[in-house]
Amino acid sequence: KHWEEHYALSLELFDLAAKCALTNGDIVSLKILSEQVIAYGRSYGDKLNVLYSTTCALAFSSKLPESIDKGLDILANLGIELRGCRSSMEACVQETKDLLSGYSDDEILNTERMTDPTKIMAMKFLGKLIGGMNQIMPASSPHVTQRIIQLSLLHGMSPVSPIGFAHLGSYTAKLGDISEGYHYVKLARSLVDKVGSRESAGGGICIGSP
């Protein structure tokens, strides 16, 4: 009955409780809480927080393939399809660099913050996805990086944006251009100071550290 009479409060409390359960490693409670939100959530967007928590739980439980597959499904439901990407790392990195060629560093650093809640959650899923892909399917990671940067330029910077730029720097250096790779990593570190959060700043700093 509380879902009908106090929907917004119920959703917030269940989201927070699910996040606490994830932090405590209480997968059973997380499953119960998530099922409630999935059953009573009034929109797909209202379910994204618990879907993110369950995706993280799979990754933390050494079920990376399942976590990645679930993340890809959720992103597809949000209009971000990554399963059909076939281009090589070299081609994907070059496409991303071409996209950035029309922007100066100052323009990137002064891009407005992302405000669309659904886009912000999509970025969180992309940030989580790239970590898992780096471990078991690294050839697909550049496509996630590209999408993070595309969304950042189109819809504003989010706390996940620095992770995309840091990975781009890493790939660029891996392909032989150390100087340009370092440039993107420095840009990522500057973005952490501008738009980073406690939740995601560590990822950007870790990737961007020598």
Side-chain angles (χ1 to χ4, degrees):
K1 190 175 181 181
H2 62 87
W3 282 106
E4 297 176 6
E5 297 181 355
H6 306 286
Y7 178 78
L9 178 60
S10 297
L11 181 63
E12 182 179 6
L13 290 174
F14 272 75
D15 281 348
L16 290 171
K19 192 172 183 179
C20 289
L22 174 65
T23 303
N24 292 329
D26 187 350
I27 305 304
V28 173
S29 293
L30 173 59
K31 184 175 184 294
I32 293 170
L33 293 162
S34 299
E35 287 174 348
Q36 282 278 303
V37 176
I38 291 168
Y40 294 104
R42 294 177 181 173
S43 70
Y44 194 69
D46 286 350
K47 303 172 186 181
L48 288 175
N49 279 320
V50 296
L51 289 172
Y52 180 76
S53 293
T54 55
T55 302
C56 291
L58 288 170
F60 298 157
S61 302
S62 300
K63 297 178 180 178
L64 273 179
E66 294 94 329
S67 176
I68 290 171
D69 196 52
K70 187 177 183 69
L72 288 171
D73 285 342
I74 293 166
L75 285 165
N77 287 334
L78 296 175
I80 302 171
E81 184 56 68
L82 290 166
R83 283 195 170 91
C85 299
R86 302 295 181 192
S87 57
S88 65
M89 180 176 76
E90 291 86 349
C92 188
V93 168
Q94 187 58 54
E95 289 172 5
T96 309
K97 287 160 62 176
D98 290 343
L99 178 66
L100 288 168
S101 65
Y103 299 84
S104 69
D105 287 358
D106 284 341
E107 286 174 329
I108 292 171
L109 291 171
N110 290 304
T111 300
E112 292 184 357
R113 292 287 296 263
M114 188 177 289
T115 57
D116 184 326
T118 302
K119 292 289 190 300
I120 291 170
M121 284 303 303
M123 291 286 280
K124 289 182 68 173
F125 279 101
L126 287 166
K128 177 56 65 177
L129 194 62
I130 199 169
M133 283 185 166
N134 276 336
Q135 296 181 56
I136 64 172
M137 45 194 304
S140 298
S141 296
H143 300 288
V144 182
T145 296
Q146 183 182 55
R147 198 55 61 92
I148 288 173
I149 292 174
Q150 285 176 336
L151 289 173
S152 298
L153 296 176
L154 284 172
H155 303 287
M157 296 292 164
S158 89
V160 177
S161 299
I163 295 175
F165 283 89
H167 274 94
L168 178 62
S170 175
Y171 302 141
T172 301
K174 185 177 181 180
L175 292 172
D177 195 333
I178 304 296
S179 177
E180 189 174 21
Y182 179 58
H183 170 257
Y184 288 125
V185 168
K186 284 205 305 180
L187 187 58
R189 295 290 294 269
S190 296
L191 279 170
V192 168
D193 293 334
K194 296 276 286 189
V195 300
S197 69
R198 290 184 178 181
E199 183 177 4
S200 62
I205 294 171
C206 176
I207 298 160
S209 296

